[in-house]
Structures are given as C-alpha cells and as structure tokens.
Amino acid sequence: MKATRARLEALVRRYHKRSFVHPDPLEFLYRYERLEDREVAGFVAASLAYGRVAQILASVERALAPLGPHPARFLAETPAGGMNALYCGFVHRFCTDRDLACLLSALGGLIRAYGSLGRAFAAGFDPRDENVQPSLARFVCLLNEQGFPRKNHLVADPEGASAVKRLHLFLRWMVRRDCVDPGGWDFVPRSRLIVPLDVHMLRQAQALGLTARSTPDLRTALDITGSLARFCPEDPVKYDFSLTRPGILSGFR
C-alpha cells in the first residue's frame, strides 16, 4: 500500500498541472468565465470524448463554435428546431449532425426549465446517496424528458452496467476545483465522485493493484474508486488526471 501511495503521489506531482491539460477536451472549458457556459462546453466536450484525441478536439471545436461566447444563453434562446441548420454535415465517428442538434436542443430545454445545467443537476441531487450515480441517472432522465432519446451513443444510461465514463468525466470537471479542473458545483462533495473508467484507465489501475477486475464496467469503476479512496477519501478522483496523462500524451504524438 505504501508503494502504491508513493506511485500515485509521484504521478500527481509530475502531471497534475495546467501545462499538461493539452491535448484534452477539458481545455475548452477554460475559454468561458461564466459557470453556466462552462457547463454547456463541458457537457458537449465530454459527450464527444471518444475516438482519437486529435479528432475529438476538432469535433468539439466545431460543435462549440456556432454557440458563440455565451453558449448557455444561445441554447436558451434558440428554438428546439433551430440547431439543425447550424450543424448540417457534422460528423464525429457515430455522431451525426442530427444527433448533436438533438442533444443541444435538449440542453437548451433544461436551461430554460431550470436556469442552468447545474441547477438541473442539483434538482436531482440527494446528499444521502452513497455516490453520484443516482444523481446522474436523474439528470439523464431530465434530459430525456426534453426530447433526447434514452437509447443513444452520446449520453450513456447511468442505470445500466456501463461505467458511463464520459458522464463521470464531465462531473469531475464540474465538481473538482484546482489548477486542472475548473469546478463550480460546490453542492456535490468530491468524495461522491466515481473515477471515469475506460480500458486505458483500467490497465493503469490493474498495474497498480487497484482492482482485480477485468471488465471496464460500473462495478470496476466503483472498485477502483474505493481503492483510491484509501489514499484520499475526501477526493479519490484527484488521481484520474495524472493516471491518464502518460497514455494520452503518447497517443497524441
């Protein structure tokens, strides 16, 4: 356990710096001063965070550009069908222009109904929950009520067995506040976050003895989060950025 702690803390000292954020879709959030705008940018960036890093960055850039400097206000003021023309021809792997337009329209509906994405998430947040998974499920249900289909590839279902990595990535950005994560959702304790898990993070966790499981699903994400909580119970996900940096940086070269 001492050796694992030492390795984790060494990674944090080495990589947990603003200078190591690029190339990461997180960098798009730094463009916006207002929290409600960072929420929109973060949800869009996290939703598109699959595939090659260079492709992700290009797609997020194209997705955010039509929304201007204040994307939350733009979405709130744009009618439900107003997104289609803006994204004609957009493609990101499995995501089509209609998929993205539908997601943005639903986000706009949430903003009109609650004032911001943060307030929408807070409406379903219960501090008695052991972790954020039930709150994520409630938030996605609200998104579905705004017309975004339940079965889709952009926003995974938190009520299933999936690790819903991109949703937990979005929450890390929104909840943690330091030199890397901009934060802003102070109503969610960092101790309730779940590590954003994909196959790359799983390999790192296995190498460090953080899990004996081999499937990148929700149970494994909870297992790894529990292991990390032994070293930092108040903020177990603080290690996520540093653990994933070496792989992301080598893959971008």
Side-chain angles (χ1 to χ4, degrees):
M1 186 168 175
K2 288 183 179 179
T4 302
R5 182 192 298 273
R7 175 60 176 157
L8 288 170
E9 294 302 332
L11 284 169
V12 170
R13 289 192 299 272
R14 172 72 175 92
Y15 289 109
H16 202 86
K17 301 172 183 177
R18 180 77 170 261
S19 58
F20 282 109
V21 170
H22 181 76
D24 192 301
L26 166 61
E27 64 191 73
F28 289 96
L29 279 67
Y30 299 149
R31 297 179 177 180
Y32 306 95
E33 293 185 6
R34 298 171 61 183
L35 175 58
E36 55 265 41
D37 293 325
R38 289 201 303 273
E39 292 167 355
V40 172
F43 201 86
V44 171
S47 297
L48 295 172
Y50 61 101
R52 293 177 57 252
V53 176
Q55 183 183 18
I56 292 170
L57 298 181
S59 293
V60 175
E61 183 76 63
R62 187 178 177 196
L64 292 176
L67 306 182
H70 300 294
R73 184 172 65 197
F74 184 93
L75 293 183
E77 295 175 350
T78 303
M83 300 294 172
N84 296 327
L86 292 176
Y87 293 98
C88 183
F90 178 93
V91 176
H92 176 75
R93 298 200 69 188
F94 313 117
C95 177
T96 68
D97 46 8
R98 302 186 74 172
D99 295 327
L100 181 59
C102 184
L103 175 61
L104 292 173
S105 294
L107 293 177
L110 281 184
I111 294 170
R112 287 190 292 272
Y114 293 91
S116 71
L117 298 186
R119 293 189 185 97
F121 192 90
F125 178 73
D126 189 336
R128 297 169 296 182
D129 291 332
E130 183 177 0
N131 54 55
V132 294
Q133 196 74 10
S135 300
L136 268 179
R138 297 178 194 117
F139 180 77
V140 172
C141 281
L142 293 179
L143 195 63
N144 299 148
E145 290 172 4
Q146 294 296 329
F148 192 68
R150 186 175 181 83
K151 299 293 184 180
N152 65 89
H153 57 273
L154 276 179
V155 183
D157 183 4
E159 294 185 320
S162 170
V164 293
K165 179 248 180 159
R166 286 172 284 155
L167 286 172
H168 287 297
L169 185 62
F170 169 69
L171 283 187
R172 196 201 87 199
W173 297 342
M174 292 294 103
V175 173
R176 299 195 68 263
R177 187 198 299 267
D178 59 18
C179 62
V180 169
D181 296 316
W185 288 9
D186 299 332
F187 61 92
V188 180
R190 291 173 296 167
S191 60
R192 309 292 175 83
L193 293 175
I194 297 172
V195 68
L197 178 65
D198 58 14
V199 293
H200 306 293
M201 179 65 173
L202 178 57
R203 292 193 193 105
Q204 292 275 29
Q206 289 172 328
L208 287 167
L210 299 174
T211 186
R213 291 179 55 80
S214 58
T215 305
D217 58 11
L218 177 59
R219 287 180 60 192
T220 304
L222 292 171
D223 189 36
I224 295 171
T225 303
S227 294
L228 292 174
R230 291 183 297 168
F231 307 107
C232 189
E234 72 279 6
D235 187 14
V237 177
K238 82 168 190 175
Y239 300 107
D240 174 61
F241 181 82
S242 301
L243 279 168
T244 56
R245 254 355 63 186
I248 288 177
L249 293 173
S250 64
F252 192 69
R253 295 190 184 102

